[in-house]
């Protein structure tokens, strides 16, 4: 784990400038969630609007929304593909993201262009440098 100030960054994941993380699984699918920075900036999460399973997304599309006492924030698709699973636990317990942002994934995507799109994402060190610049 890398720490930048009060924020933790999990190594081995890929990151976006919009503060989403991507974990590539052994079967080639990916889990997507929001970073420690994002959940701390939002504050206590009250609601996660999960997308429909089967939804096709292009990289950069709005994947879903997370709602906190402070704001509603959009979560963007870090890779293109099909949503094949959503984390149903978050419907009743959105605070799981606050408790463990790297354990509480939001969606699982079957990517359509993974290799190329991963090159456009940041690794943990690059994301740490990005956070330091904010």
């Amino acid at each position: 784990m890398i720490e930048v100030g009060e924020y933790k960054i999990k190594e081995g994941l890929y990151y976006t400038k919009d503060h989403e993380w991507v974990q590539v699984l052994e079967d080639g699918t990916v889990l997507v969630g929001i970073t420690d920075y994002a959940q701390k900036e939002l504050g206590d999460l009250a609601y996660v609007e999960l997308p429909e399973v089967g939804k096709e997304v292009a990289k950069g599309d709005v994947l879903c929304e997370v709602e906190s006492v402070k704001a509603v924030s959009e979560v963007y698709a870090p890779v293109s593909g099909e949503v094949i699973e959503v984390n149903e636990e978050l419907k009743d317990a959105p605070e799981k993201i606050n408790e463990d942002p790297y354990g509480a994934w939001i969606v699982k995507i079957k990517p359509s262009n993974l290799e190329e799109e991963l090159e456009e994402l940041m690794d943990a060190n690059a994301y740490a440098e990005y956070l330091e610049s904010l």
Side-chain angles (χ1 to χ4, degrees), residues 10-30:
K10 186 172 179 183
E11 295 179 82
L13 303 179
Y14 294 89
Y15 295 89
T16 71
K17 288 189 173 179
D18 293 313
H19 311 289
E20 291 91 16
W21 58 260
V22 176
Q23 178 182 2
V24 181
L25 302 177
E26 286 181 13
D27 65 1
T29 62
V30 298

Side-chain angles (χ1 to χ4, degrees), residues 10 21 23 31 87 89 96-97 100-106:
K10 186 172 179 183
W21 58 260
Q23 178 182 2
L31 296 178
N87 188 347
E89 284 186 345
K96 285 188 182 292
I97 292 173
D100 183 9
Y102 299 111
W105 56 277
I106 298 172

Side-chain angles (χ1 to χ4, degrees), residues 51 53-54 82-87 105-109:
V53 170
E82 178 187 354
V83 174
I84 57 171
E85 192 177 334
V86 297
N87 188 347
W105 56 277
I106 298 172
V107 299
K108 185 188 278 190
I109 294 176

Side-chain angles (χ1 to χ4, degrees), residues 37-91:
Y37 175 88
Q39 69 85 15
K40 282 189 170 122
E41 289 295 301
L42 285 165
D44 293 336
L45 291 177
Y47 180 70
V48 178
E49 180 194 324
L50 296 167
E52 294 291 316
V53 170
K55 178 180 180 176
E56 290 284 337
V57 292
K59 181 179 176 173
D61 284 358
V62 173
L63 192 55
C64 65
E65 289 183 343
V66 290
E67 194 172 315
S68 71
V69 280
K70 287 199 241 176
V72 174
S73 184
E74 294 176 329
V75 176
Y76 300 97
V79 296
S80 303
E82 178 187 354
V83 174
I84 57 171
E85 192 177 334
V86 297
N87 188 347
E88 297 284 348
E89 284 186 345
L90 298 178
K91 283 184 180 173

